[in-house]
Amino acid sequence: MKLYSKHQLIKAAAFGIIGGAIISLVITNVVTSANKDRIPQASQQNETASTTEQDSKTDTISESEQDGGKEQVSIKMTSSSQSQYTQDEIQNITVYEKCNEAVVNITTQEMSLNWFFEPSVQEGGSGSGSIIDKKGYVVTNYHVIENATEITISLYDGSSYKGKVIGKDRESDIAVLKFDPPENIILKTIDFGNSENLKIGQKVIAIGNPFALERTMTTGIISGLGRPIQESKNVIIRNMIQTDAAINPGNSGGPLLDTTGKMIGINTIIITGSEYTTGSVGIGFAIPISTTLRVVNDLIQYGKVNRGRLSITPVQMTSAIARYAGIGINRGILVSSVKHGSNTAKSGLKGGTKPVQYGSRYNPATIYLGGDIITAIDNITIQSYADFTSALESKRPGDTVTVTVYRDEKFEKLKVTLDGDEAAHSI
């Protein structure tokens, strides 16, 4: 065994300590250097991610501005805001922001007699309307302005203008008004949609002024299509859209919209379920836009609807007339007279020949018995005068219709070419 002196042991220990310190220092420097190399890379990655996120947000805002609408800005900035709303809510918000400024509030004043039987102007009704042209044309319901002597049209910003009637049509319950905005005002308008391809269950949106609460929005679905609704004693409107979207007094004349913000109908009438209630019970009706377009075009161009007519003097059949004349039916339209030389006369429709007094003692009228009784026009059964007018509502002068008549105790069908208003009204 080799032996070491004390001096040698101390010397070896010193060298060992110094060597360990040198090795530890080298290892520490290597680790520190490696960490320094990693830190800039991680920092660069974070900075890149932050820049990318900021660029993405900036690009999104830029796209919204290019699309040109503040309503789109709120929808485009989806990184933070879209998570707050469902897709259905976003759709509702978009339609409202697109259309609400084009919905107007219509108020009227009417002439009446005071306690001293003197004429005086009183506050009339109110309703809604849609701006359909930047020149200030507004479409609404006939019944909203029926008895108006003065009309006020109020916009979303609180400004009000006097409205004038361009044309109105009782048979379709549609009227066109106009106001004159200042030259520096650019009006928002509502686009017409398509009511021909509607489906039951399709979502719809109504905007109007129920109970004077301006530009109120409600949503629902199409509950039915092609509904014939008797709006008044002599008016039946056919092919109406039924909806469960809440429609209340003041909504009349406002738009029924699809989910793209296009007008598919005019909100017109509700069924309340009771004579003691006036609010919505989920059954409302709108005039389809297909009818609206036809009527509005005529009202703007002619001031009236250029509608095909039968040139007859019509009389509503009753049980009293049937008993007196010995006729086997008590429904339909009695043809009292036919205008000589008209298309109606040439088509073979016959008027009566026996004059009788008809009506009340204080308001008698002469009618002629023995003529045809109209029981159907095309495929529409005619039982009342409202049926008669509604069956011809969509017809044009020169159109040919199939008229079913009761004559000599049997039914016959005639092909009748319709006249225009001038021929029909000059009997």
Side-chain angles (χ1 to χ4, degrees), residues 344-363:
T344 305
K346 294 174 183 177
S347 299
L349 207 60
K350 294 182 179 180
T353 56
K354 181 182 178 181
V356 296
Q357 293 292 312
Y358 178 71
S360 67
R361 177 188 304 177
Y362 304 102
N363 188 29

Side-chain angles (χ1 to χ4, degrees), residues 103-168:
V103 178
V104 301
N105 187 27
I106 299 171
T107 54
T108 64
Q109 291 185 317
E110 302 175 358
M111 188 68 70
S112 62
L113 297 177
N114 61 22
W115 288 100
F116 302 101
F117 297 98
E118 297 172 336
S120 63
V121 176
Q122 296 184 356
E123 184 176 337
S126 65
S128 305
S130 302
I131 302 174
I132 58 173
D133 186 271
K134 293 184 183 297
K135 296 178 182 178
Y137 287 100
V138 173
V139 64
T140 186
N141 283 134
Y142 170 89
H143 73 260
V144 171
I145 52 91
E146 181 176 4
N147 300 314
T149 55
E150 292 184 22
I151 299 172
T152 301
I153 297 174
S154 301
L155 306 189
Y156 74 97
D157 59 0
S159 60
S160 297
Y161 304 90
K162 285 189 176 181
K164 59 182 178 180
V165 178
I166 299 299
K168 55 185 179 180

Side-chain angles (χ1 to χ4, degrees), residues 271-308:
I271 293 178
T272 59
S274 167
E275 62 179 320
Y276 302 107
T277 59
T278 58
S280 173
V281 294
I283 304 177
F285 300 92
I287 301 168
I289 204 64
S290 56
T291 300
T292 304
L293 279 170
R294 171 173 50 80
V295 172
V296 166
N297 287 335
D298 275 7
L299 292 179
I300 292 177
Q301 187 171 358
Y302 308 113
K304 62 184 181 64
V305 178
N306 191 19
R307 189 174 281 122

